[in-house]
Amino acid sequence: MSQKIVLYWHPMSSASPIASALAELDVPHERVKVDIRAGEQRRPEFLALNPNGKVPTLTVDGAPMFEALAMHLFLGETYGVDKGLWPAEGTPERLQAMSWCVWSYVTYGAQLMRLQAARDMGTPEDAHGTAAHKAMDELLGLLDARLAQQPWMLGDAYSLVDLCVGSVIGYSAYIGAPLQNHKHVTAWMGQLQARPAMQIEAT
Ligand SMILES: N[C@@H](CCC(=O)N[C@@H](CS)C(=O)NCC(=O)O)C(=O)O
């Protein structure tokens, strides 16, 4: 299959994990920088691709898509199976892959947004910030229990599920999520962040 893929991105943003996924998959693509600090995401030609005016935005043979989570699932299903980086359709692992990816962006992501909002208000210790911190600690406990049993999210081998889940967990650590209480998560994040495809900001 040879689709023309274009990733609209900005360094150190929600688009970075998608750039890393494309690198892990070795999918030929074009990368177009959208300077979100200069407001380029609000240009009409960009809003025609993504009415939200956000990166990442991806086009596939000219057809646009938005939301990083949707891109992780699309890239995994389309390019990952042949490369051994995404489970085949119809397997129990495929169900787990989808579940954990959605869990990270939606369930864990909701608490992350709550903590982020409290931080933005300058009140991370208020009721919202404290509740978000506690909820994240509990959710990280689920992840830690899984990673105590196996080195990677789906078992013995790295997959794009590690990249998807790890990118959300990594950002949450940056804003103060209690990763230090979860030693398996911390060790897994170290392995993940050492991968060449995660050094994408330098390229
Ligand atoms: N839910 C979206 C969030 C995307 C997002 O918030 N992108 C930010 C960069 S990290 C952005 O483009 N901000 C520009 C703006 O809001 O004007 C996703 O996961 O793709």
Side-chain angles (χ1 to χ4, degrees):
M1 179 184 358
S2 113
Q3 293 174 310
K4 180 169 168 45
I5 304 274
V6 181
L7 172 65
Y8 295 84
W9 85 314
H10 187 279
M12 308 284 283
S13 77
S14 307
S16 302
I18 304 305
S20 296
L22 286 163
E24 287 284 4
L25 291 164
D26 200 20
V27 172
H29 63 283
E30 185 187 337
R31 234 196 276 165
V32 176
K33 183 174 169 188
V34 178
D35 189 346
I36 57 176
R37 295 200 191 110
E40 288 179 1
Q41 73 278 27
R42 289 189 291 277
R43 287 186 179 164
E45 59 271 28
F46 188 71
L47 291 173
L49 298 176
N50 181 353
N52 300 284
K54 308 246 184 233
V55 293
T57 294
L58 196 76
T59 60
V60 183
D61 287 337
M65 71 182 295
F66 52 85
E67 291 297 337
L69 171 58
M71 291 170 206
H72 281 297
L73 300 177
F74 164 74
L75 292 173
E77 288 179 5
T78 309
Y79 299 105
V81 179
D82 286 353
K83 302 223 155 99
L85 291 172
W86 193 258
E89 195 177 352
T91 61
E93 290 78 17
R94 169 66 73 87
L95 303 179
Q96 288 293 302
M98 294 174 72
S99 297
W100 282 103
C101 287
V102 172
W103 176 88
S104 64
Y105 271 79
V106 178
T107 301
Y108 189 81
Q111 301 306 329
L112 189 160
M113 292 299 171
R114 216 169 157 204
L115 184 60
Q116 173 93 64
R119 267 179 49 125
D120 289 349
M121 299 284 285
T123 56
E125 311 295 333
D126 76 356
H128 272 297
T130 308
H133 205 266
K134 182 165 175 292
M136 288 170 113
D137 198 39
E138 283 173 16
L139 291 169
L140 286 166
L142 305 185
L143 195 57
D144 205 63
R146 186 170 182 88
L147 293 167
Q149 303 294 323
Q150 56 193 43
W152 298 104
M153 285 304 293
L154 295 183
D156 288 336
Y158 168 85
S159 73
L160 292 182
V161 179
D162 297 288
L163 169 49
C164 177
V165 176
S167 65
V168 181
I169 302 297
Y171 181 67
S172 78
Y174 172 72
I175 68 160
L179 249 70
Q180 67 285 355
N181 300 345
H182 305 280
K183 67 175 192 215
H184 299 103
V185 174
T186 307
W188 164 78
M189 280 303 301
Q191 299 275 324
L192 196 57
Q193 282 168 342
R195 293 181 70 85
M198 299 300 274
Q199 320 312 317
I200 205 79
E201 309 299 354
T203 63

